[in-house]
Amino acid sequence: MIDDLAKRLDEAALSRTAVAQFGADAGLDVPNAYAVQAALVARRRARGETVTGIKLGLTSRAKMVQMGVDEVIWGWLTDAMCVPDGGTVRLSEHIHPKVEPEVAFLVEGGAIAAVAPAIELIDSRYVDFRFTLPEVIADNTSASGFVVGPWRRVPDGIDNLGVLLEIDGRVAQVGSTAAILGDPRRALPQAVRLAGELRDGWVLLAGAAAAAVPLTPGAHVRVTVEQLGTASLRAAA
Ligand code: 0L1
Ligand code: MG
């Protein structure tokens, strides 16, 4: 069952074709869902991808309430998901992608070595972006891509920095780093608790500072985090 569900999600991503939710008959619970996620990432690694970090999801009160949960979730980031700052995302390589403004940390020696503004590209492999909690965990928490802006030393007090998500120069979302676990630095102990070891050089995507916005052809997306700078991408058809 684990391998079959991983195959269905992996093939959905590869073929850019959403799959139906698994439904109650699949009997998927949270521990099984993380086993599916591990099998999914094993398939990516078998194709030559390298794990380069992890992400946390459902880190805001709003998303937890929306999903009816009280716990953050996590997924894997690979080199194939990394989009260079200012780079191009091809919509044809995704199903129905959205972008959300995030904060990224660089991990060294089990600690946070640097911080950067970031954009996460989420793309559910389920029809209409609808899923249960175990289903979204199995789907690697909708991870699909990420952009990391320039790294810098972590300034004092990053718990309430203003965040802007602009599309084509117009403000699409306004938020605060406070939406990320109350303080994005809490992502590190949460990630260690959930994922175990974090390797040197890994990126930790701490979570979204505002709601996700659908990505449309030609869109220029820019995320600005007060004191940290900007990260951007362009969407091509
Ligand atoms: O990164 C996230 O918070 C996404 C977690 C999964 C839920 C979603 O796809 O919105
Ligand atoms: Mg996210």
Side-chain angles (χ1 to χ4, degrees), residues 5-13 22 36 40 125-126 138-139:
L5 297 186
K7 183 166 182 272
R8 275 151 74 178
L9 289 167
D10 194 34
E11 287 180 352
F22 300 139
V36 175
L40 190 60
R125 269 55 68 162
Y126 300 105
D139 189 22

Side-chain angles (χ1 to χ4, degrees), residues 104-115 151 154 185 187-189 191-192 196-204:
F105 293 118
L106 181 64
V107 179
E108 292 286 352
I112 294 170
V115 63
W151 293 114
V154 184
R185 283 169 297 196
L188 184 72
V192 170
E197 175 202 24
L198 297 184
R199 301 221 174 138
D200 284 356
W202 274 12
V203 171
L204 168 58

